[in-house]
Amino acid sequence: MDDLVTEVLINGVAIPIGVAVLFATFFSWCLGPVPGGRIASAAIGVAFLAGYSALFTWPDFPPVSSGQKLVFIVLAGVVVGAVIDLIKSPALLKYLAIILWPAAIIGWLGWRQITNLTFETGVTLGLLFVAAVFMLDRLANWGTRPSHASVVLLVASIGASFIAFIGASGSLSQSYAILAASAGGFLLCNWPKPRFTFGTAALMAGGGAFLGLATSIVLFSEVHLISFALLLLVFLAPAGAQKLPWQHSPALGPIMVGVVGAIPVIVGTAVAIIIAGDSFELPF
Amino acid sequence: MKLIKLLSIAAVAATLSFGYQPSAKAGETFALDKPHTQIKFSVNRGGWSRVAGWFTKFDGSINFDEANVGNSSVSATIDTASLDTGFAARNKHLRSPAFFNVKEFPTMTFKSTKIEKTGAKTGKMTGNLTLLGVTKPVTLDVVFNRKAPHPRNKMMFAGFTATGKINRADYGMKFLIRAVSNEVQIEIQALSVKK
């Protein structure tokens, strides 16, 4: 079991944190503080890919399963997002990405369901799309305060990891843990002093990873969706934190966002545990 | 004249070659008798013990040519959601995207490509196993147990045992690969009834 702990802690946590810090610094150092700072948030996606491939290995192309497709979604998010970030006026492209990117992700992962569409699946996919646009829009909105957006992604991913674990989806739980570590690594570079923007690369790669995993949870797992849906409230945490003291403090502001974001995580996890009841047992 | 002769020969040859159809397999066709067929798997868990499971829903047919075993063939489709290990929480985990990913890949299939006789009642069956959307060749050791009519209903039954192993990582099933063995042992007890 030591191997298992090593596998989870090294590959799933230490590698993504290290890679996120390294790449954010590297982008900034190579390209200078302005363009480098704009694409530094691509480090979240690079870190996720490093942790994911360390844990599950890099998949062949073309990918077959949703887990394999996720790698190429994040890779595309890193590349396309970084290009948009490097263009001087990315606002229109950024908002196009907020609409088109969820459609592309849900469409690719749920292609089989879309081609055999039932009313129930159609409603599920529709709600998932609306939730995804909301999530990316909020991340883009808080991106003006990069540490706030990173905290939101970090806290939401931790919550998703807990809820997926309780819902007997170990690999999805681990994947969310990798995403949390990646966002956490980027946050380390941006806290207490904000250095890099939470750009389109973070939105498309980090947000894309969150959404890809969420699509897998909705379509392919037995995770209870009400507890999972509560995590959407995490994306409103910066708005809630505005009513708290120290909201403008570079050091304490992100912590306040984390505290507010932790509330729906705790509630969602509690709901998941209550719903799982006696059926929640460690499988191995 | 020579040209006409050549054309005639070519036409006859073409007719013969295109009209040729391999003779229908000489063997008898059997369907799996589900209540008396078990498709089982087991993995090593952390070096302490083996955990076994089985599938309860499947379909399959065997074309068995006893006189010329090489002409025989086997195909089977297994409903992956029907897996059972005798422990509900573990079943749930095994059905999740981490392992069999049953909602995304509801079936796994096997189709034999080559069967060779190795002894009076033994053979090796190679075929393509498709699991999680990945197709890989697998070889199973097969024992032909018995072919005889049932004493009461007089239906012809044939029984086989097949054993083998696969590496789950080959099919992309890599979750907890250090805690739960990569090698999966397979044992199939197949009773089949003549169609």
Side-chain angles (χ1 to χ4, degrees), chain A:
Chain A
M1 283 292 147
D2 285 349
D3 276 351
L4 180 62
V5 173
T6 307
E7 182 177 291
V8 171
L9 291 182
I10 302 291
N11 297 343
V13 178
I15 287 180
I17 289 176
V19 171
V21 172
L22 194 72
F23 269 80
T25 313
F26 174 77
F27 285 137
S28 168
W29 180 72
C30 277
L31 299 172
V34 178
R38 277 215 299 266
I39 66 158
S41 66
I44 294 176
V46 176
F48 179 83
L49 291 173
Y52 194 90
S53 54
L55 210 51
F56 302 112
T57 72
W58 190 271
D60 294 334
F61 191 86
V64 179
S65 67
S66 53
Q68 294 170 345
K69 287 174 184 173
L70 181 71
V71 171
F72 296 99
I73 286 169
V74 176
L75 184 62
V78 167
V79 174
V80 177
V83 169
I84 293 175
D85 283 335
L86 283 173
I87 298 171
K88 279 185 180 174
S89 302
L92 177 65
L93 287 173
K94 194 172 187 173
Y95 284 101
L96 271 178
I98 288 170
I99 303 286
L100 297 179
W101 194 226
I105 292 171
I106 295 168
W108 196 25
L109 296 182
W111 183 247
R112 204 172 299 166
Q113 282 70 19
I114 290 168
T115 50
N116 300 296
L117 200 63
T118 60
F119 177 74
E120 191 186 353
T121 313
V123 170
T124 305
L125 290 173
L127 289 174
L128 182 63
F129 175 73
V130 172
V133 171
F134 164 77
M135 187 194 85
L136 289 189
D137 176 63
R138 289 300 83 199
L139 275 181
N141 186 54
W142 311 130
T144 52
R145 300 179 77 173
S147 47
H148 286 196
S150 307
V151 169
V152 167
L153 189 59
L154 168 70
V155 173
S157 300
I158 290 172
S161 180
F162 286 154
I163 292 170
F165 184 74
I166 294 161
S169 286
S171 59
L172 294 172
S173 171
Q174 271 195 350
S175 304
Y176 269 121
I178 294 168
L179 182 58
S182 307
F186 182 68
L187 181 63
L188 282 178
C189 303
N190 262 347
W191 184 83
K193 185 187 167 194
R195 290 183 180 86
F196 313 121
T197 54
F198 189 92
T200 316
L203 203 64
M204 292 184 71
F210 192 95
L211 173 58
L213 291 166
T215 306
S216 294
I217 279 188
V218 170
L219 294 179
F220 309 128
S221 82
E222 293 184 33
V223 171
H224 199 274
L225 296 183
I226 289 177
S227 55
F228 191 69
L230 284 169
L231 294 180
L232 281 173
L233 295 173
V234 177
F235 293 85
L236 295 172
Q242 281 176 1
K243 296 183 173 70
L244 296 177
W246 310 304
Q247 52 142 328
H248 295 299
S249 159
L252 294 175
I255 293 173
M256 291 298 108
V257 172
V259 169
V260 174
I263 296 168
V265 167
I266 292 166
V267 174
T269 306
V271 170
I273 290 172
I274 291 165
I275 290 168
D278 292 339
S279 72
F280 174 58
E281 289 180 68
L282 289 177
F284 294 104

Side-chain angles (χ1 to χ4, degrees), chain B residues 158-179:
Chain B
F160 304 87
T161 300
T163 53
K165 53 195 173 188
I166 60 168
N167 288 329
R168 64 187 177 100
D170 292 345
Y171 298 86
M173 195 190 288
K174 293 170 182 167
F175 187 64
L176 290 181
I177 202 85
R178 295 185 196 206

